[in-house]
Amino acid sequence: MQLGTLDLRDAARLRRPAIASPGAMTPAVIATWRGRMINEHGSSHVFDGLATQLAALGRTPDAEQCRGFAAEEREHGMLCGAVVEAVGGAALAEVPPPSILPTHPDTTPRAAVVRNVISICCLSETVAVALIGAERLEMPDGPLRTLLERIWADEVGHARFGWRYLANQLGELDASELDAVARYLPLAFGHLEAHELAHIPVTTSWPDEAVAYGLCDGADARLLFYETVSEVIVPQLEAHGLPASQAWQDRRTT
Ligand SMILES: [Fe+2]
Ligand SMILES: [Fe+2]
């Protein structure tokens, strides 16, 4: 896989929050926020891809909204990079090529877009709302909490878009398209779990002051991830008539 360079140094320096040095935690703070920078920036490609698919369906206002979300994700990347720069690191990273959204040729284009909206907004973005929301509650008042609140507010919008789209579009699909959406859920859940676990450290215990720098306890974050799936995502999908509970049990990555 050919790696590319993500260089957000100039934009990140302009956004640096005024935070005190994390001392011995500095390498961990840099690694955490650089990882977030890569992730957030990567999400911009996902929303650009979704916008292109929505535009191809003639859903222009939805496509424009997703273009706006892509711009927000680029800004989130710069804001996370700004934390890296604020503690003496460089908002610079080697990154994999942008992910390309699946076109799902086994079903119709409109059912394919419903699948992608579920995966992106109803799953990933809904988990982001829970994880970032929890972190924000633990963080003391200050510039880093303000930065996180801004990101969190945007993620709420990204998740809501998906749930609204689902509510509006599922009723338009015929039986074979609905079946195609249902068939896809085990794979969507499997990829979600693999992605989230890859980004949440298994066991990390930090000193108490670490929450002020956004260093999270891995075990707590994993628990919150699983609770978000079982208490929010699965019941909401079931309420829309999708067999999400079974799909979560049958989750797979291939
Ligand atoms: Fe984001
Ligand atoms: Fe997002």
Side-chain angles (χ1 to χ4, degrees):
M1 183 171 53
Q2 182 103 40
L3 293 177
T5 300
L6 176 63
D7 184 354
L8 299 181
R9 286 176 295 182
D10 289 345
R13 278 171 200 163
L14 291 172
R15 291 164 174 75
R16 265 181 302 200
I19 53 177
S21 166
M25 291 183 292
T26 300
V29 173
I30 290 174
T32 295
W33 288 89
R34 189 185 275 134
R36 289 177 183 181
M37 175 187 92
I38 295 169
N39 236 336
E40 293 284 351
H41 187 85
S43 297
S44 72
H45 300 300
V46 173
F47 275 115
D48 273 331
L50 188 57
T52 301
Q53 291 186 346
L54 285 161
L57 286 182
R59 304 195 61 87
T60 310
D62 290 329
E64 280 169 7
Q65 240 187 311
C66 284
R67 292 266 177 238
F69 295 160
E72 288 171 357
E73 300 292 12
R74 279 191 291 275
E75 177 67 25
H76 297 174
M78 295 174 215
L79 288 169
C80 294
V83 181
V84 175
E85 291 280 339
V87 299
L92 185 68
E94 296 293 300
V95 292
S99 51
I100 295 165
L101 277 197
T103 54
H104 304 293
D106 61 309
T107 187
T108 61
R110 64 181 186 173
V113 169
V114 169
R115 281 179 171 181
N116 288 340
V117 167
I118 289 175
S119 170
I120 298 164
C121 302
C122 303
L123 272 51
S124 295
E125 295 287 339
T126 301
V127 167
V129 169
L131 292 178
I132 300 172
E135 189 180 323
R136 156 184 161 269
L137 286 177
E138 283 186 29
M139 193 174 274
D141 264 340
L144 209 49
R145 180 169 168 144
T146 306
L147 182 151
L148 211 55
E149 271 174 349
R150 177 166 172 196
I151 293 177
W152 180 77
D154 291 340
E155 310 303 9
V156 170
H158 304 169
R160 276 197 187 141
F161 169 85
W163 291 109
R164 228 176 13 240
Y165 191 85
L166 202 60
N168 291 332
Q169 291 304 302
L170 276 181
E172 305 286 314
L173 302 184
D174 66 26
S176 79
E177 290 171 312
L178 285 172
D179 183 55
V181 171
R183 253 190 350 258
Y184 169 69
L185 292 179
L187 198 60
F189 277 129
H191 283 305
L192 175 76
E193 184 182 40
H195 177 85
E196 294 301 330
L197 295 190
H199 289 90
I200 301 173
V202 183
T203 46
T204 332
S205 51
W206 302 105
D208 287 349
E209 58 271 29
V211 290
Y213 294 98
L215 298 183
C216 66
D217 179 286
D220 286 354
R222 280 169 185 240
L223 185 64
L224 181 56
F225 162 67
Y226 285 110
E227 285 177 351
T228 305
V229 171
S230 60
E231 288 170 30
V232 180
I233 295 174
V234 166
Q236 290 235 54
L237 291 173
E238 289 276 348
H240 285 298
L242 292 168
S245 183
Q246 189 63 46
W248 171 245
Q249 285 178 45
D250 297 342
R251 63 193 182 276
R252 59 190 170 83
T253 51
T254 52

